[in-house]
Amino acid sequence: MFQYVLRRLLVAVPMLLGAMSIVFLAMRILPGDPCVAMMGDQATTAALADCTKNLGLHRPLAVQYVDYLWRSVQFDFGKSFRQGYPVSEYIARMFPHTFVLVVASAVVAALVGIPIGIVSALKRRNPLVDYPLRIIALLGLSMPVFWLGILLLIVFSLHLNLFPLIGGGDLDGVLAMIRSGEVFSQPRDFLAGVGDVLHHLTLPALALGFTLAATVSRLSRSAMLEVISQDYIRTARAKGQRERLVVYKHALRNMMVPLLTIIGIFIAIALTGTVLTETVFTRPGLGKMLVDAIGARDYPLAQGAITVFTMIIIFVNLVVDMLYAVVDPRITYR
Amino acid sequence: MAVVRRADPVDLPIGGVAEEARGATRARLRRWLPIGIGLLMAAAMVVVAAAAPLIAPLSPSAQFSDSVLKGPGAVERHLLGTDEFGRDILSRIIWGARVSLEVGLASVIFGFVLGVPLGILAGVRGGRVETLIMRCADMLMAFPTLLLALIIVTALGGSLVNEILAIGVALTPNFVRLARSLALTIREQDYILAARALGSGQLRVMARHVFPNALYALVVVGTLYIATAIRTEAGLSFLGLGIPPPTPSWGNILSEGRQYIKCCPWITTFSGLAIMVAVLAFNLVGDALRDLLDPRLKGE
């Protein structure tokens, strides 16, 4: 077990280094001077030289690379070119917004996707049940999250006026109340703040959650199909156990390992989804920050956001791989 | 004396055969219907894209100042309405199909041409070559497709070629992994041993034996990646990083229409619908082909 974890860690480190190198190369080596891109063709030579020095681009590439790696490990991504303050601070402010969106959409995706997948697998010989469920999954898979988001906004925000059109609610205020302990002294204000955050969160979570539910349902369907074809399920049925018990007691438990894989895949897709979802709903978050940074040609901010995205994905996959060994002791590192 | 009851000897076989035939027809229908629908939709998209100059009622960039932001059917010549510049939405969606299909097909071909030889090389050669290729693929796979495409497009700038390049590179590691796993199975087959015994070199084995035997599975999965590529292109264009306006692409039509969702929801509705139908078509074909030809690929 320890050896497995250690080896998995050893594989993750070069992978992270490689992924960070790709980010670095994309931002530095590919055509175009970042300063010209940021300041435009009209910028004076002195201003360009100043910008080059500020970004540290006057140094040899190898030095810049090592510096970037070293500072990234310490979560120091430099200063935002447009905003002027440290990128890591900006990321720290945006991260909770993206985190709550990912968690809320995960809840939606799990509540919708897993039951659909399981029922679709168990009733696969009943086309009246299996077909509609598979079609729903296929539609969810084909529907771009930004389009679904816009449709939800048109119906629920513009026509029914049930949810806000933009923004993410006062999450910063809620977090500040938790940190300062005001959550106990002013519980009403706190609950009002939470309610406001949830109000702003509902539509984005539904949009992202539904498109993710399609992937989750397909993965849980194939996981369930694999589990129910196992010998122990046949044995349980041969013993005369009721079908419901066979499913709950034997099949669902053994779906744990495939479901863990779903979590790993899910986080990667969800994080990508936040880029589009936050843009559609004009919500603060890492995804919108990345798009805005690219639009404003704020390279330090964009580089920081992409690096953090990559770190999260590699970290989640690492944790999932480790959980495999905990859930199923038969799994060893090959 | 025991009474033996006999079932009607005529009824049973006929009923059984009829039931069996019905069952077989149902099974055939179940197998071929999704492919049929998917192929029909995909073929319709190809025809629309290829014949855009002939079937588009108006020029996609022609601006009609007297018909700005008109709804579907409000003005006779604009069946699906107009945008903020008075451009015909239907014509822009028809021309947008070209961009989506070009990017979808070209980026998958790019990923295929780059990834499959590397994957086969890794699978057949093994050792350090395999480790090197697979670790590079793993690094690229740390980025979700849209994110990697976004990084590359940011660095190169938004244009048709750059989008193809970005999505193609983002899809490459998927082809590398699949080609490698197929090559690992194929290299153990007797006919590979026979080819080697006959003096075939590694390159010949890869090109003449491994590649043809892996081809159909790769093509099936490639069909699914066309759907991914179309969706990614739409996402990039929606974020303003794809093909710049006024060239119409479904993503940028949707993005431009976002500002007018309150008064004119048809702009976003129809362009989004076009994206969904296109992605659905290739998902249907890819899914059905995969289930039909190779159940082993169900997890891919």
Side-chain angles (χ1 to χ4, degrees):
Chain A
M1 171 75 185
F2 175 73
Q3 208 179 13
Y4 169 82
V5 170
L6 195 70
R7 285 193 183 194
R8 198 60 201 79
L9 266 171
L10 286 176
V11 171
V13 171
M15 215 166 123
L16 184 63
L17 276 177
M20 286 165 72
S21 308
I22 292 169
V23 176
F24 176 82
L25 288 175
M27 296 288 165
R28 303 290 161 91
I29 290 198
L30 290 167
D33 181 344
C35 284
V36 175
M38 284 190 278
M39 303 176 81
D41 295 335
Q42 307 298 317
T44 61
T45 319
L48 283 175
D50 201 32
C51 163
T52 308
K53 202 177 170 189
N54 281 341
L55 291 179
L57 300 174
H58 60 293
R59 296 170 301 166
L61 201 70
V63 176
Q64 288 181 48
Y65 176 64
V66 174
D67 185 49
Y68 159 71
L69 286 183
W70 178 239
R71 291 187 350 170
S72 296
V73 170
Q74 301 169 71
F75 283 93
D76 176 6
F77 303 105
K79 278 187 179 172
S80 158
F81 191 79
R82 299 272 158 157
Q83 318 281 346
Y85 48 84
V87 169
S88 49
E89 250 178 52
Y90 206 55
I91 288 174
R93 264 179 47 207
M94 291 299 131
F95 181 77
H97 292 271
T98 300
F99 181 76
V100 290
L101 177 59
V102 170
V103 171
S105 58
V107 172
V108 173
L111 289 178
V112 176
I114 295 176
I116 286 182
I118 291 172
V119 173
S120 173
L122 294 175
K123 303 278 179 194
R124 67 193 177 284
R125 291 200 178 87
N126 182 352
L128 287 176
V129 178
D130 187 31
Y131 267 38
L133 292 180
R134 286 180 77 176
I135 288 170
I136 290 172
L138 209 55
L139 281 177
L141 207 66
S142 310
M143 197 179 271
V145 64
F146 46 92
W147 185 52
L148 180 60
I150 287 175
L151 292 182
L152 290 175
L153 280 175
I154 291 173
V155 176
F156 294 102
S157 297
L158 291 171
H159 287 288
L160 300 175
N161 211 13
L162 289 174
F163 295 100
L165 199 59
I166 56 167
D170 190 16
L171 183 64
D172 294 334
V174 170
L175 292 174
M177 285 181 93
I178 294 173
R179 275 194 295 268
S180 65
E182 283 176 57
V183 57
F184 301 110
S185 58
Q186 294 166 326
R188 260 192 200 176
D189 289 353
F190 176 73
L191 285 177
V194 171
D196 180 49
V197 169
L198 289 177
H199 196 210
H200 282 83
L201 190 64
T202 309
L203 289 187
L206 280 177
L208 185 56
F210 181 69
T211 47
L212 293 171
T215 311
V216 172
S217 77
R218 286 165 73 110
L219 291 170
S220 32
R221 183 179 189 270
S222 53
M224 189 51 145
L225 281 177
E226 201 176 320
V227 168
I228 55 173
S229 64
Q230 299 295 318
D231 287 343
Y232 53 81
I233 297 290
R234 196 181 306 139
T235 310
R237 281 182 181 145
K239 282 195 304 185
Q241 210 163 46
R242 274 181 298 160
E243 190 60 24
R244 187 170 286 191
L245 264 181
V246 173
V247 173
Y248 285 124
K249 205 173 159 189
H250 299 278
L252 280 181
R253 264 189 200 181
N254 284 290
M255 270 180 72
M256 278 293 283
V257 174
L259 276 177
L260 278 177
T261 317
I262 295 175
I263 295 170
I265 297 169
F266 178 89
I267 296 293
I269 305 174
L271 277 176
T272 318
T274 60
V275 175
L276 295 163
T277 313
E278 287 169 356
T279 305
V280 172
F281 290 93
T282 329
R283 264 182 72 83
L286 286 178
K288 185 160 188 316
M289 184 189 90
L290 172 62
V291 175
D292 290 346
I294 289 170
R297 303 203 177 279
D298 191 338
Y299 285 94
L301 197 57
Q303 188 170 283
I306 294 170
T307 309
V308 168
F309 268 118
T310 317
M311 281 177 170
I312 295 171
I313 291 167
I314 291 177
F315 177 73
V316 169
N317 282 326
L318 178 71
V319 172
V320 167
D321 275 0
M322 287 177 180
L323 282 176
Y324 280 149
V326 177
V327 172
D328 189 349
R330 289 169 299 179
I331 292 175
T332 51
Y333 186 88
R334 270 169 294 167
Chain B
M1 195 175 144
V3 179
V4 179
R5 288 191 180 192
R6 284 189 168 189
D8 188 338
V10 181
D11 279 357
L12 254 183
I14 287 181
V17 167
E19 187 57 38
E20 212 170 89
R22 267 200 299 274
T25 312
R26 266 202 298 270
R28 254 198 301 275
L29 197 69
R30 198 179 296 176
R31 190 173 293 178
W32 290 102
L33 193 66
I35 297 187
I37 296 171
L39 277 176
L40 210 67
M41 286 160 72
M45 188 186 161
V46 172
V47 170
V48 165
L54 301 173
I55 58 172
L58 296 160
S59 160
S61 50
Q63 301 182 8
F64 297 90
S65 52
D66 56 331
S67 327
V68 170
L69 295 173
K70 294 287 180 201
V75 182
E76 205 178 310
R77 61 176 179 246
H78 305 297
L79 199 65
L80 298 185
T82 58
D83 64 7
E84 72 273 27
F85 297 111
R87 293 174 300 193
D88 185 50
I89 296 291
L90 176 63
S91 305
R92 289 183 69 73
I93 287 177
I94 289 173
W95 279 89
R98 277 197 160 191
V99 170
S100 290
L101 205 65
E102 274 171 7
V103 173
L105 288 174
S107 55
V108 167
I109 291 170
F110 182 94
F112 187 99
V113 169
L114 196 67
V116 171
L118 285 171
I120 291 178
L121 182 70
V124 174
R125 280 292 294 268
R128 279 184 195 165
V129 174
E130 184 187 17
T131 310
L132 181 72
I133 293 172
M134 294 319 293
R135 288 301 82 84
C136 288
D138 284 347
M139 275 172 214
L140 285 174
M141 284 196 96
F143 301 96
T145 311
L146 180 71
L147 198 63
L148 186 55
L150 197 134
I151 297 168
I152 299 170
V153 164
T154 305
L156 296 176
S159 73
L160 185 74
V161 176
N162 289 349
E163 256 197 318
I164 291 169
L165 197 72
I167 300 172
V169 169
L171 290 176
T172 301
N174 298 296
F175 281 108
V176 172
R177 283 180 80 120
L178 180 61
R180 175 191 165 258
S181 68
L182 290 167
L184 283 175
T185 317
I186 294 167
R187 76 172 186 189
E188 303 300 330
Q189 302 298 315
D190 288 342
Y191 53 82
I192 299 292
L193 193 67
R196 287 221 166 108
L198 286 170
S200 296
Q202 215 152 40
L203 197 65
R204 190 181 165 83
V205 166
M206 285 190 275
R208 297 291 298 271
H209 301 284
V210 179
F211 176 66
N213 282 294
L215 188 61
Y216 81 97
L218 289 163
V219 168
V220 168
V221 175
T223 318
L224 284 171
Y225 287 136
I226 295 176
T228 308
I230 291 174
R231 209 176 35 215
T232 309
E233 188 283 322
L236 287 174
S237 293
F238 174 76
L239 294 173
L241 299 166
I243 290 142
T247 307
S249 83
W250 291 338
N252 70 27
I253 299 171
L254 205 145
S255 178
E256 286 172 353
R258 229 182 102 208
Q259 300 161 48
Y260 304 97
I261 52 169
K262 196 163 187 176
C263 69
C264 323
W266 56 86
I267 307 173
T268 48
T269 308
F270 292 126
S271 49
L273 197 64
I275 300 168
M276 196 188 83
V277 170
V279 175
L280 184 67
F282 287 101
N283 269 337
L284 268 174
V285 176
D287 259 14
L289 279 178
R290 184 192 55 190
D291 290 353
L292 192 73
L293 294 175
D294 195 349
R296 286 172 308 162
L297 288 171
K298 275 188 176 177
E300 291 292 340

